[in-house]
Amino acid sequence: MVKRFDGREYNELRKINIKLNVIENAKGSAIFSFGDTVALAAVYGPKPSKMSLDYDKAFLRVRYSMLTFSTPERKKPTPSRREIELSEVIKRALEPALLLEEIPGSIIDIYVEILNADAGTRTASINAASLALSLAGIPMKDLVVGLAVGKVGEKIVADLNKEEEDYDSEKLKKDPEKSKYIEYYGEGRATDIPVAIIPSEKKFTLIQLDGEISSKELNDALNLALEKAIEVKNLMKKSILNEYRVSNL
Ligand code: ADP
């Protein structure tokens, strides 16, 4: 039976890998991977901010960037429009879970570097940042979980990889090795839906949609995202508890 390009079931996430406190100088840091997509996040602060003294809550700054060697073609090192936009997207996805009013007048810096990219870098970044914020002791309601769901051909799937994001049944028909996958995915192209969720509140803090989808399919995809977010959160939580246990020995 034909399955997804990498042999997964429709609702199966790529292999998740988590490494915590990987940067000595950061207050909290984490590496989070979905398969070949690897994000590293480091949190500095909270530190007193001269510019935000009269604010009634902490000020969050996020910088997302992809290492030049993170993609098959070397990426330009200068910040692209995409990187500037994704920095803002990640900030907005995280902010609703942070209790920033508890640390007024301070500034928190989050740096995210993509070490390897194979689709889903913004969602892996959200998870790495969320873990790093938690390790830095920033007050939060819950961990924010990022993951992508979507429609590839006619099939709703979780956690699209790059090959799935680029799916086009018309192109596959010309490829004798890959045309068998049309049997699984069906006709059409891909619609990627990156989301971020506060699992304890079942609240979405990010929904982006690139492509076309019916409202029924969107509903199915978002329900799948909620279900998978709980699975990801449990892994994240387990890794944090494990870290505290080891460091308290
Ligand atoms: P996301 O990584 O969150 O899915 P995009 O949809 O913008 O965001 O990108 C999809 C994928 O395309 C990335 O994960 C990466 O594999 C690839 N990609 C994005 N930008 C570049 C780039 N400048 N050079 C090469 N590959 C890129």
Side-chain angles (χ1 to χ4, degrees), residues 37 64 66 71-73 75 82 86 117-123 162 165 192 194 210:
T37 291
Y64 160 102
M66 296 213 302
T71 52
E73 295 271 311
K75 186 205 144 277
R82 177 181 170 275
L86 285 193
D118 184 41
T121 64
R122 80 196 64 193
T123 49
K162 182 83 172 105
E165 262 196 29
D192 184 35
D210 185 7

Side-chain angles (χ1 to χ4, degrees), residues 10 75 172 212:
Y10 83 97
K75 186 205 144 277
L172 283 201
E212 284 176 20

Side-chain angles (χ1 to χ4, degrees), residues 142 196-205 223 226-227 229-230:
D142 194 3
I197 295 170
I198 302 178
S200 58
E201 298 182 348
K202 295 198 163 124
K203 184 176 164 185
F204 286 82
T205 60
N223 278 327
L226 274 175
E227 184 192 313
I230 294 167

